[in-house]
Amino acid sequence: MMLNVKIGASISLSYGSQLLEGNTLVALMEDPILVSAANSFKAIPERKFPVYEESGVDRLMKNKWVYLFQREYGTVDPAFVDFVGTDEATTCVGIVIRNKKNGMTSVSHMDSPNIVDMGLSQMLLHVVDHNMEAELDVHLVGGFEDVSPNYAYSSTRSESQEQLDGHSFPLCAKIVEALFTRPENFHVQTLFVLGHNTRRDSEGNAYPIFHGLVVETSTGLVTPACFDRTSRCPDEIVRRIRVTSAYEDPSWSGKLLETYDTQTDQFRIASCCWSFRQKDISLTLKSLSDSEILLICSTSPSAEAPDFVDNLRRQWEYLIEHPDWRETFPSKQARAFERVGDGGWKRC
């Protein structure tokens, strides 16, 4: 079977079925145009959110943005939203799919190969609008060489070596494979993953160069980005807890979490439940040292952002204070948030 994908603005490459079995990602990582695009992306200064005015006044600009946590996705209309982005990715990957004609933009934060197929279908629902001929720009940012590249890029890996692939490579490989096998017209513009997104210290330890991205919806410009606690909103802690709860909820198996309503420009945090046992677990975890928490709770303990442990501790504190999930979701109703004048959110 021959499949066709366009890379960048002008190059078209064809790959046979043998390449799809494991070497597609490797070929793309070595493509000169994508290597050049990755080098250009690396040189872009990381954009920080919230955005403050140049005058130094400690006041948010009235930009409207949508933020996505791990395993969430959101599709935004440029008529409503100026920026959409995600961060906190180490072995995860941020994906952007944008319709060049109408600017509709979907962003997700994928954390497992198991959610890629259904996740892409969710992302594309409001982007293609049944128009399979739509030109779709694709950007991938995240993941890093969390194992030796000699293992990850080997074309003759044994079963024992497969176990050393880490988390980033299998996820990136699955995303690329899924894009190649879908019928939509994808244009891969940015592939800033794995080796392209890896820096090493003097001892050879690997770290991601960037943990996040943001899209300017009016232009489609994608830049590195990081967010702080005030801009990872709305409903930060509940959404973080929902990510964990979703792993135990069969209704979310294989899916990305829905949070943002494209048509109404509102957040709707669907109900999730947790057991009273979570309070005891949270009390135990909270008593651990920072280093112990990193080892137990992270896929890449040495590469997490400085606020990783603090974010977990705040989740556990919430579960300790609210052991009954029905306090958070009375009558299983979603938690809804609407946009306010300064671009922020209020409960509705």
Side-chain angles (χ1 to χ4, degrees):
M1 176 177 65
M2 298 296 291
L3 297 171
N4 182 274
V5 65
K6 294 180 180 178
I7 295 181
S10 59
I11 291 183
S12 175
L13 298 181
S14 296
Y15 293 95
S17 58
Q18 182 178 1
L19 202 54
L20 284 172
E21 292 175 359
N23 293 334
T24 308
L25 175 59
V26 177
L28 292 182
M29 290 290 293
E30 297 173 350
D31 179 82
I33 290 181
L34 288 180
V35 170
S36 177
N39 289 334
S40 297
F41 188 84
K42 186 189 303 184
I44 300 174
E46 187 175 59
R47 187 161 192 171
K48 300 183 186 303
F49 282 78
V51 182
Y52 294 97
E53 294 188 342
E54 294 181 359
S55 63
V57 177
D58 194 20
R59 182 169 61 87
L60 287 174
M61 294 177 65
K62 293 185 179 180
N63 286 319
K64 299 177 181 179
W65 69 78
V66 166
Y67 178 83
L68 289 317
F69 284 98
Q70 179 179 335
R71 212 184 186 193
E72 292 184 344
Y73 86 100
T75 302
V76 305
D77 186 332
F80 297 143
V81 178
D82 301 309
F83 299 96
V84 54
T86 186
D87 71 345
E88 300 188 308
T90 52
T91 58
C92 299
V93 175
I95 304 178
V96 177
I97 302 178
R98 181 177 186 270
N99 188 319
K100 295 175 68 173
K101 182 177 180 180
N102 59 22
M104 293 294 290
T105 304
S106 191
V107 172
S108 72
H109 185 132
M110 292 198 179
D111 61 0
S112 167
N114 298 330
I115 61 172
V116 170
D117 290 324
M118 181 63 73
L120 288 176
S121 295
Q122 292 173 277
M123 293 178 69
L124 289 163
L125 184 62
H126 293 298
V127 173
V128 297
D129 193 25
H130 307 295
N131 178 14
M132 299 303 292
E133 300 301 318
E135 302 282 325
L136 304 175
D137 285 343
V138 177
H139 306 262
L140 305 182
V141 178
F144 73 111
E145 287 184 343
D146 54 328
V147 294
S148 168
N150 294 330
Y151 288 113
Y153 293 115
S154 172
S155 60
T156 58
R157 298 192 299 275
S158 66
E159 184 175 350
S160 61
Q161 287 173 326
E162 290 284 356
Q163 298 175 1
L164 300 175
D165 277 350
H167 297 273
S168 297
F169 183 85
L171 176 57
C172 293
K174 176 60 180 178
I175 293 170
V176 168
E177 176 188 353
L179 290 171
F180 267 63
T181 54
R182 291 189 63 97
E184 290 85 4
N185 191 9
F186 296 114
H187 297 255
V188 182
Q189 304 285 357
T190 307
L191 190 65
F192 197 77
V193 299
L194 302 175
H196 297 319
N197 189 33
T198 300
R199 62 180 178 85
R200 296 184 183 276
D201 62 20
S202 59
E203 298 179 355
N205 299 309
Y207 305 90
I209 296 173
F210 297 125
H211 291 262
L213 62 88
V214 71
V215 188
E216 186 175 357
T217 60
S218 62
T219 64
L221 179 65
V222 178
T223 58
C226 63
F227 298 76
D228 68 12
R229 188 185 302 179
T230 66
S231 55
R232 294 174 184 144
C233 56
D235 220 13
E236 178 214 359
I237 294 299
V238 172
R239 286 166 68 188
R240 289 185 185 276
I241 292 172
R242 196 172 71 126
V243 172
T244 303
S245 299
Y247 286 105
E248 302 177 1
D249 185 343
S251 67
W252 288 107
S253 178
K255 297 179 182 178
L256 291 167
L257 295 171
E258 299 171 349
T259 52
Y260 175 77
D261 189 303
T262 307
Q263 274 76 34
T264 63
D265 187 35
Q266 292 184 342
F267 269 87
R268 298 187 62 81
I269 317 304
S271 66
C272 65
C273 60
W274 52 86
S275 67
F276 283 93
R277 183 169 173 267
Q278 291 299 316
K279 177 179 180 178
D280 296 330
I281 294 173
S282 298
L283 285 167
T284 299
L285 292 172
K286 188 181 176 183
S287 68
L288 299 177
S289 67
D290 289 3
S291 59
E292 289 172 324
I293 291 172
L294 282 166
L295 288 172
I296 292 173
C297 300
S298 173
T299 59
S300 51
S302 64
E304 296 292 356
D307 60 352
F308 177 83
V309 172
D310 177 63
N311 292 332
L312 286 175
R313 290 189 185 279
R314 290 188 296 114
Q315 292 176 61
W316 298 331
E317 288 172 1
Y318 186 95
L319 290 169
I320 293 168
E321 294 174 4
H322 306 277
D324 187 348
W325 65 271
R326 288 167 292 192
E327 295 177 14
T328 303
F329 296 100
S331 303
K332 297 185 179 180
Q333 293 299 304
R335 294 164 65 89
F337 296 81
E338 63 183 6
R339 186 86 67 177
V340 293
D342 64 355
W345 303 95
K346 72 173 182 179
R347 186 87 178 268
C348 61

